[in-house]
């Protein structure tokens, strides 16, 4: 064909031209800039405005940061060192970082909260990355709450051990009684066994064990715990404690039983309708009214209880979303297999619903972790509480940017990484559902 | 769950309460109800016992007793002799004020940031991502405290605005000397409503009604005939033109008021009158506070370099009486009044003041130690408002972005295939669908913002938590009643908003067949 053409039509090319590069304006950086930055007048103006903003911020922050002073005893000393030059005074962080992070926790015991944190990460690894971490790690997950209480507050290890054994006793009673006596009797017996263990055996045996093998750590009171340690303790314990409660509330809200349903709805709506700060003041001012006269317990514990109830309501809504997102066929399939309510929930519904809700739960936790800063208003010393105290001291009166940048960056790292994890999970879930 | 069992022919056995699904749900509910009642009774009994141990009772009477504390920002008349109930109302209004301002700015910020984050412009999209992530991942309280610290510590003091002898000053006002940002707050011009304000307001309302009617008409015609009327441009004209025309008309028609100087001479102007009083003399003007005349007299006196003071009187009659009693030597009278008779011995000055502007702005001016006049917006309000707006705006940006992304590409492609232009595609196809996704979480963000406004405690803004839930509780010792009312207020507000949300959801729900 081409031969005949070549003879009859002489101006047709006989050979292919080599591929030419696209014109300069249509390739590489130039094309990218043309399409992304200056594609229209409006876009060009936006680019210029953004560049100006970036330049303004960078030029201010860079000079301030580059000239920073890390070693000084007070703001006045800092300013003397700077001698009129622009510069930050991060000496305040160098001097007070341990308060901002650990509060008044004894410095020689810093390894304990750090170890507790490491243990926590080891414990949540099998939950967060179930396919990459062996299932045996769940043993760590089960032991973590008890060991961490011991690590942070100190005292004898036997207390937490006996509390944990109470759960084991309840579980054992359930396994023994349930096949023989049925679900209801099994549940009652297991609760009784656990209560009996905590009420009788613990009080009677744990001092003896403590005498034989002390396993004692130096005690640290709640008042000495502050800074980020406090925020983390409140946030993590509230989220862990509120998960079971939130799941129960969500099930209650989905339930057909009228009274259970209405009680759950009322609880969730009342808790969510009122700001956390009002609840914290309630914990501080009013809790004593609702408890038997003479009851008085740790403010930190009160706050943890209140924040737990608060986040349980939010988690209930997240889990309810997960339950509602499951196709109706899953519920009907469970019913058609003849599973009881709790069996169908445990084996079929909750594993799927909770998996969908994990991103929402993580987001709730991010919100909760940020909200732990509110405890400053009832007298607990979280990072913002310490920043107020530092700003009020004579040495550092008048400093604010450095402190807030430090606190903000720490919070940002924590919350941003959790947000990224939640995004990763959402992407993974949407891939699995395809 | 729902299982069928063979009907029992034998009589009812007690074990059926547990094992028969027909009765079991009843049993569980009754057990739950009993447990609930017992728990409630236990709590109430504890409260009663604790209250009696403290010698307190449960009584809301404290709401009508004298509050005795001052509130530095009030939207309605309040002083410390009024009741705790009134103080709570002031607090509620302050909460609603900051919540409303916050919702408006957060929406504007959020929509802009959300749309720009989807922009193809890489730098703008990344900048918005930094804004959103930065504000979402740092506690709101930190932002409030930070902005408050910046507002109080790095802004100039009022005295820095004083012009020194060499003609310079350490700080200067913004926007043509009308706004001053100081460490005591931001001073902005305050509107003062004159005699024609009512007419102007009515005209404005009428133009709003006209816009609404026109849009209805345009929509109905489009449904009927398919012809599209220019809605936006006509609405804009209707919104602006009548009000501006009436304003100009009234300002043009207004006469000059006669300034009557007591003890002056005919033909003097204000400066001359002030000079005639001598270096120790002082022009004292009788004015009715809160009127445009008062504002204009003060402005004229300030411009004349005279030594002056203002005496506040109730109305025009009282001003004449006060002048005749010698309490002041300058009053302002409507045009056409014979100055020689009112007050006896008064003379009209040759320069009058213009009256009749429906609205005048009271611009803040540096006085002895602080700015005078204008409206002082306290730093507490500014910090709370800015932080709430920026923080919630970041969340709204994500909602807007998600809403737009949720509309599948096929929708806009189908619209283009029908030949719709991009802005019509946006208005008729994308936005109606995106709004259905956006509005429910948007409203719950408004609710969050309102609840978060209780962080006012960090900057000392007097919201409802600070008045009812703070000082009132501390003064009366009524923690239980005060916290109940405070919780009731927030709960009522959030139930109201979620009720509105439900109504909206039902209205926009896809009509499925």
């Amino acid at each position: 064909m081409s031969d005949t053409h070549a003879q009859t039509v002489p101006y047709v090319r006989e050979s292919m031209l080599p591929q030419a590069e696209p014109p300069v304006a249509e390739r590489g950086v130039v094309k990218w800039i043309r399409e992304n930055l200056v594609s229209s007048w409006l876009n060009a103006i936006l680019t210029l405005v953004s560049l100006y903003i970036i330049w303004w911020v960078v030029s201010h922050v860079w000079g301030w940061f580059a000239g920073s002073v890390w070693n000084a005893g007070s703001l006045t000393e800092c300013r003397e060192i700077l001698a009129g030059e622009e510069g930050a005074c991060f000496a305040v962080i160098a001097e007070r970082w341990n308060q901002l992070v650990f509060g008044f926790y004894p410095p020689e015991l810093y390894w304990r909260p750090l170890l507790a944190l490491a243990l926590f990460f080891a414990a949540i690894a099998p939950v967060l990355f179930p396919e990459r971490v062996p299932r045996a790690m769940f043993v760590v997950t089960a032991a973590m709450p008890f060991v961490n209480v011991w690590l942070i507050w100190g005292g004898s290890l036997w207390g937490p051990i006996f509390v944990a054994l109470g759960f084991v006793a309840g579980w054992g009673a359930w396994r023994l009684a349930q096949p023989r006596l049925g679900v209801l009797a099994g549940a009652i017996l297991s609760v009784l066994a656990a209560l009996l263990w905590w009420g009788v055996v613990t009080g009677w045996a744990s001092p003896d064990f403590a005498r034989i093998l002390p396993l004692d750590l130096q005690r640290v009171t709640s008042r000495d715990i502050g800074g980020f340690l406090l925020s983390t303790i409140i946030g993590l314990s509230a989220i862990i404690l509120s998960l079971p409660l939130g799941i129960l509330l969500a099930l209650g809200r989905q339930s057909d039983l009228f009274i259970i349903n209405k009680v759950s709805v009322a609880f969730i709506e009342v808790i969510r309708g009122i700001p956390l700060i009002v609840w914290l003041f309630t914990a501080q001012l009013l809790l004593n009214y609702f408890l038997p006269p003479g009851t008085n317990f740790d403010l930190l514990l009160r706050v943890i209880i209140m924040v737990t109830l608060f986040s349980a309501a939010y988690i209930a809504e997240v889990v309810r979303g997960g339950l509602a997102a499951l196709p109706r066929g899953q519920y009907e399939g469970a019913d058609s297999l003849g599973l009881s309510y709790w069996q169908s929930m445990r084996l079929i519904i909750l594993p799927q619903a909770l998996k969908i809700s994990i991103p929402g739960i993580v987001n709730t936790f991010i919100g909760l972790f940020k909200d732990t800063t509110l405890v400053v208003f009832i007298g607990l010393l979280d990072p913002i509480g310490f920043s107020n105290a530092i700003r009020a001291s004579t040495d550092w009166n008048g400093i604010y940017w450095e402190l807030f940048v430090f606190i903000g960056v720490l919070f940002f790292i924590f919350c941003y990484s959790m947000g990224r994890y939640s995004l990763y999970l959402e992407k993974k879930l949407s891939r699995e559902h395809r | 769950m729902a299982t069928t069992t063979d009907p029992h022919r034998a009589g009812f056995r007690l074990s059926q309460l547990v094992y028969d699904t027909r009765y079991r749900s009843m049993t569980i509910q009754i057990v739950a109800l009993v447990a609930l009642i017992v728990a409630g009774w236990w709590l109430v009994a504890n409260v009663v016992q604790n209250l009696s141990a403290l010698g307190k009772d449960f009584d809301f009477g404290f709401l009508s007793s004298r509050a005795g504390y001052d509130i530095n920002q009030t939207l309605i008349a309040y002083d410390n002799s009024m009741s705790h109930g009134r103080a709570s109302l002031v607090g509620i209004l302050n909460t609603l004020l900051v919540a409303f301002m916050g919702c408006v700015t957060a929406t504007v910020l959020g929509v802009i940031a959300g749309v720009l984050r989807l922009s193809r412009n890489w730098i703008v999209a990344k900048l918005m991502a930094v804004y959103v992530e930065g504000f979402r991942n740092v506690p709101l309280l930190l932002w409030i405290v930070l902005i408050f610290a910046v507002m109080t510590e790095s802004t100039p003091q009022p005295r820095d605005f004083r012009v020194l002898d060499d003609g310079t000053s350490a700080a200067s006002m913004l926007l043509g000397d009308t706004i001053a940002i100081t460490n005591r707050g931001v001073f902005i011009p305050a509107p003062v409503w004159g005699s024609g304000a009512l007419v102007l307001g009515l005209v404005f309302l009428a133009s709003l009604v006209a816009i609404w009617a026109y849009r209805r008409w345009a929509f109905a015609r489009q449904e009927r005939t398919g012809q599209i009327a220019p809605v936006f441009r006509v609405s804009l004209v209707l919104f602006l033109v009548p009000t501006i025309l009436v304003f100009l008309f009234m300002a043009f028609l207004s006469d000059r008021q006669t300034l009557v100087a007591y003890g002056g001479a005919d033909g003097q102007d204000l400066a001359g009158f002030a000079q005639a009083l001598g270096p120790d003399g002082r022009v004292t003007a009788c004015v009715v506070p809160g009127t445009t005349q008062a504002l204009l007299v003060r402005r004229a006196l300030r411009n004349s370099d005279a030594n002056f003071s203002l005496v506040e009187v109730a109305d025009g009659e009282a001003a004449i009486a006060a002048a005749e009693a010698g309490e002041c030597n300058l009053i302002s009278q409507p045009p056409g009044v014979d100055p020689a008779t009112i007050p006896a011995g008064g003379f009209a000055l040759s320069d009058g003041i213009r009256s009749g502007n429906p609205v005048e702005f009271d611009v803040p001016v540096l006085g002895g130690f602080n700015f005078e006049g204008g409206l002082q917006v306290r730093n507490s309000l500014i910090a709370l408002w800015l932080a709430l707006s920026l923080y919630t705006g970041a969340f709204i940006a994500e909602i807007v972005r998600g809403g737009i992304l949720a509309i599948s590409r096929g929708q806009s492609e189908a619209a283009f295939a029908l030949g719709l232009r991009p802005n019509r595609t946006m208005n008729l196809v994308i936005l109606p669908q995106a709004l259905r996704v956006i509005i429910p979480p948007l409203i719950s963000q408004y609710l969050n913002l309102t609840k978060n406004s209780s962080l006012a405690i960090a900057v000392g803004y007097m919201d409802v938590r600070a008045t009812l839930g703070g000082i009132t509780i501390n003064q009366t010792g009524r923690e239980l009643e005060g916290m109940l009312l405070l919780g009731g207020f927030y709960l009522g507000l959030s139930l109201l908003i979620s009720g509105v949300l439900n109504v909206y959801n039902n209205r926009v729900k896809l009509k499925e067949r």
Side-chain angles (χ1 to χ4, degrees):
Chain A
M1 281 290 281
S2 63
D3 287 342
T4 49
H5 268 279
Q7 283 160 2
T8 52
V9 193
Y11 50 81
V12 170
R13 260 188 220 286
E14 288 176 4
S15 56
M16 288 290 283
L17 276 178
Q19 261 190 356
E21 278 201 49
V24 180
E26 287 300 322
R27 69 181 136 103
V29 184
V30 179
K31 182 188 181 197
W32 186 86
I33 288 178
R34 265 168 60 106
E35 285 189 350
N36 284 296
L37 301 184
V38 288
S39 61
S40 67
W41 274 111
L42 183 68
N43 231 334
I45 292 171
L46 278 178
T47 308
L48 286 181
V49 170
S50 315
L51 284 177
Y52 175 74
I53 292 174
I54 293 171
W55 176 80
W56 189 86
V57 170
V58 168
S59 64
H60 277 71
V61 171
W62 177 247
W64 180 75
F65 196 79
S68 53
V69 175
W70 286 87
N71 208 350
S74 69
L75 189 59
T76 3
E77 203 184 318
C78 229
R79 290 199 173 130
E80 277 166 17
I81 296 173
L82 283 172
E85 294 286 308
E86 190 185 22
C89 182
F90 280 108
V92 65
I93 306 295
E95 194 184 278
R96 302 291 189 101
W97 69 272
N98 46 0
Q99 280 186 0
L100 287 169
V101 177
F102 293 102
F104 296 117
Y105 211 86
E108 68 278 9
L109 301 180
Y110 282 169
W111 62 272
R112 275 162 50 180
L114 290 177
L115 185 61
L117 189 69
L119 195 61
F120 173 78
F121 281 122
I124 56 164
V127 182
L128 296 188
F129 304 101
E131 65 276 359
R132 293 192 206 154
V133 180
R135 288 182 67 85
M137 287 286 282
F138 273 109
V139 178
V140 183
T141 312
M144 182 272 291
F146 306 101
V147 180
N148 273 0
V149 166
W150 176 62
L151 277 177
I152 287 170
W153 278 274
S156 165
L157 179 60
W158 290 106
I161 285 183
F162 272 87
V163 172
L165 285 180
F167 286 104
V168 175
W171 180 75
W174 165 260
R175 288 307 289 267
L176 279 178
Q178 191 257 333
R180 296 180 181 83
L181 300 171
V183 175
L184 197 66
I188 292 173
L189 274 181
S190 87
V191 172
L192 277 183
L195 289 179
L196 204 68
W197 180 273
W198 289 325
V200 180
V201 182
T202 307
W204 161 75
S206 95
D208 290 337
F209 276 94
R211 222 168 293 127
I212 296 165
L213 184 65
L215 287 177
D216 242 5
L217 281 182
Q218 187 188 331
R219 279 192 183 279
V220 179
T221 59
S222 292
R223 258 176 311 157
D224 290 341
I225 297 174
F228 272 95
L229 182 60
L230 182 80
S231 302
T232 323
I233 289 176
I234 295 175
L236 292 182
S237 32
I239 205 79
I240 291 171
L241 294 174
S242 66
L243 256 180
L245 194 57
I247 293 172
L248 283 183
L249 279 171
L251 291 179
R253 195 165 184 172
Q254 294 285 80
S255 160
D256 301 328
L257 307 177
F258 181 79
I259 292 174
I260 306 250
N261 178 283
K262 290 295 170 260
V263 169
S264 310
V265 171
F267 181 86
I268 292 172
E269 291 302 327
V270 167
I271 294 269
R272 281 163 48 97
I274 297 175
L276 178 60
I277 193 164
V278 175
W279 288 119
L280 289 176
F281 276 113
T282 307
Q284 190 196 24
L285 295 173
L286 293 188
L287 211 57
N288 279 348
Y289 281 106
F290 292 107
L291 296 174
T295 328
N296 196 9
F297 56 96
D298 201 28
L299 185 58
L300 180 56
L301 192 57
R302 290 193 210 186
V303 168
I304 289 179
I305 292 174
M306 218 64 223
V307 177
T308 302
L309 293 179
F310 187 76
S311 69
Y314 281 81
I315 286 194
E317 286 298 273
V318 172
V319 175
R320 183 171 77 120
L323 288 173
L326 278 194
R328 189 96 208 114
Q330 296 292 326
Y331 292 87
E332 287 162 359
D335 283 349
S336 71
L337 286 175
L339 297 180
S340 75
Y341 176 76
W342 288 108
Q343 279 174 326
S344 67
M345 285 300 147
R346 192 164 56 85
L347 298 173
I348 299 194
I349 307 297
L350 280 183
Q352 302 183 64
L354 286 183
K355 198 171 166 191
I356 314 178
S357 351
I358 291 182
I361 292 174
V362 174
N363 284 340
T364 310
F365 180 50
I366 297 177
L368 181 73
F369 187 66
K370 286 186 293 177
D371 278 350
T372 55
T373 49
L374 302 197
V375 298
V376 63
F377 298 125
I378 57 171
L380 292 180
L381 283 171
D382 79 324
I384 292 187
F386 271 110
S387 77
N388 290 342
I390 293 171
R391 287 174 61 205
S393 69
T394 43
D395 280 350
W396 300 107
N397 192 357
I399 203 161
Y400 51 98
W401 274 113
E402 292 82 352
L403 282 170
F404 291 140
V405 164
F406 177 72
I407 298 171
V409 164
L410 278 188
F411 268 107
F412 181 85
I413 291 171
F414 201 97
C415 296
Y416 186 73
S417 51
M418 280 198 298
R420 287 282 116 180
Y421 170 74
S422 149
L423 271 184
Y424 151 81
L425 212 60
E426 266 171 42
K427 284 211 178 104
K428 203 178 81 172
L429 283 175
S430 68
R431 272 204 304 277
E432 282 172 3
H433 268 275
R434 195 182 285 165
Chain B
M1 279 161 72
T3 51
T4 51
T5 47
D6 291 329
H8 287 276
R9 294 218 168 67
F12 179 76
R13 292 188 310 276
L14 212 55
S15 62
Q16 271 179 284
L17 283 181
V18 176
Y19 293 111
D20 190 327
T21 47
R22 287 174 300 173
Y23 303 111
R24 184 158 60 186
S25 65
M26 232 31 205
T27 319
I28 294 176
Q29 298 206 56
I30 288 171
V31 169
L33 189 63
V34 168
L36 197 70
I37 291 174
V38 168
W41 178 79
W42 183 71
L43 289 179
V44 171
N46 280 337
V47 169
V48 169
Q49 204 179 353
N50 282 317
L51 280 179
S52 71
L54 290 170
K56 288 181 179 178
D57 56 353
F58 189 72
D59 181 14
F60 287 100
F62 71 95
L63 283 179
S64 53
S65 59
R66 186 176 180 275
Y69 59 88
D70 288 315
I71 298 178
N72 57 21
Q73 179 196 309
T74 59
L75 292 179
I76 52 174
Y78 172 83
D79 63 63
N80 60 21
S81 66
M82 290 180 178
S83 67
H84 282 295
R86 180 82 172 185
S88 313
L89 187 63
V90 171
I92 286 177
L93 289 176
N94 281 348
T95 293
L96 294 181
L97 171 75
V98 74
F100 175 75
M101 286 166 58
C103 285
V104 172
T105 33
T107 313
V108 174
L109 276 176
V111 170
I112 292 176
V115 171
L116 285 186
R117 209 180 160 184
L118 287 174
S119 147
R120 286 197 54 187
N121 190 320
W122 186 82
I123 293 185
V124 173
K126 284 288 171 268
L127 203 62
M128 289 303 135
V130 168
Y131 158 66
V132 168
E133 296 298 342
F135 273 87
R136 276 195 337 158
N137 288 313
V138 173
L140 171 60
L141 183 59
L142 193 67
W143 288 119
I144 295 178
V145 178
L146 174 64
I147 295 179
F148 188 66
V150 172
M151 290 295 297
T152 47
E153 305 220 6
S154 72
T155 49
Q157 297 179 335
R159 65 155 186 250
D160 292 336
F161 287 82
R162 193 169 302 288
V163 179
L164 302 174
D165 293 335
D166 55 358
T168 60
S169 62
S172 55
M173 295 171 75
L174 305 174
L175 293 181
D177 280 359
T178 52
I179 297 176
I181 299 176
T182 74
N183 63 352
R184 297 191 197 175
V186 175
F187 292 83
I188 58 171
V192 176
W193 305 106
S195 51
L198 189 67
V199 180
L200 195 72
L202 287 178
V203 168
F204 184 66
L205 272 184
S207 61
L208 287 186
V209 172
I211 291 174
W212 176 77
Y214 174 75
R215 294 178 83 104
R216 247 179 97 96
W217 171 81
F219 185 73
R221 195 182 69 147
Q222 190 182 344
E223 291 282 292
R224 207 172 54 244
T225 65
Q227 285 174 313
I228 299 170
V231 171
F232 178 73
R233 268 171 275 172
V234 174
S235 299
L236 195 67
V237 168
L238 278 178
F239 186 79
L240 294 175
V241 170
T243 314
I244 291 178
L245 277 183
V246 168
F247 181 88
L248 291 178
F249 184 69
M250 291 171 97
F252 187 71
L253 276 194
S254 68
D255 280 323
R256 295 188 92 80
Q257 290 251 342
T258 318
L259 284 178
V260 179
Y262 193 56
D266 206 7
Q268 266 178 339
D269 61 358
L270 193 56
F273 173 61
Q275 259 176 357
L277 288 174
D280 295 332
R282 171 184 283 270
V283 182
T284 47
C286 277
V287 292
V288 185
T291 58
T292 44
Q293 276 86 1
L295 179 65
L296 293 171
V297 166
R298 196 178 66 196
R299 197 178 287 165
L301 284 168
R302 204 171 259 152
N303 287 341
S304 70
D305 288 335
N307 221 346
F308 73 94
S309 62
L310 297 177
V311 178
E312 294 187 348
V313 291
D315 53 21
E317 303 283 316
I320 296 169
E324 280 175 346
E327 287 173 28
C328 52
N329 52 18
L330 185 74
I331 55 175
S332 163
Q333 285 296 312
V337 171
D338 184 2
T341 56
I342 304 171
F347 290 96
L349 296 179
S350 62
D351 47 356
I353 54 169
R354 180 169 285 286
S355 73
N357 263 9
V359 57
E360 285 279 347
F361 284 94
D362 182 9
V363 177
V365 174
L366 188 60
F369 293 101
N370 204 347
F371 279 88
E372 289 168 358
L375 201 63
Q376 181 187 10
V377 187
R378 287 176 184 275
N379 281 334
S380 51
L381 174 61
I382 301 241
L384 190 62
W385 168 54
L386 276 183
L388 282 172
S389 317
L390 288 168
Y391 183 79
T392 315
F395 285 87
I396 292 179
E398 283 300 272
I399 291 171
V400 169
R401 186 171 78 108
I404 294 176
L405 284 180
I407 307 307
S408 75
R409 243 188 130 62
Q411 295 286 330
S412 50
E413 283 167 0
F416 290 146
L418 286 175
L420 289 180
R421 276 172 286 137
N423 57 351
R424 263 192 210 297
T425 307
M426 198 62 178
N427 282 337
L428 299 175
V429 180
I430 308 287
L431 272 189
Q433 299 184 70
L435 281 183
R436 182 179 293 138
V437 182
I438 291 172
I439 287 190
L442 185 69
I443 292 181
S444 80
Q445 282 303 327
Y446 291 162
L447 189 57
N448 278 348
L449 190 148
T450 311
K451 285 191 286 177
N452 280 338
S453 71
S454 56
L455 291 183
I457 183 177
V459 288
Y461 178 70
M462 296 298 275
D463 72 334
V464 62
R465 201 225 54 84
T467 57
L468 173 64
I471 305 177
T472 292
I473 284 184
N474 287 342
Q475 287 195 355
T476 59
R478 301 265 174 199
E479 302 99 353
L480 197 57
E481 295 92 333
M483 294 303 279
L484 270 179
L485 285 176
L486 184 63
F489 163 70
Y490 281 113
L491 188 60
L493 198 65
S494 72
L495 289 183
L496 186 76
I497 292 180
S498 52
V500 171
L501 188 59
N502 282 341
V503 171
Y504 172 83
N505 278 342
N506 284 334
R507 269 186 58 182
V508 302
K509 198 159 64 180
L510 285 177
K511 306 287 185 293
E512 287 176 347
R513 270 175 279 274

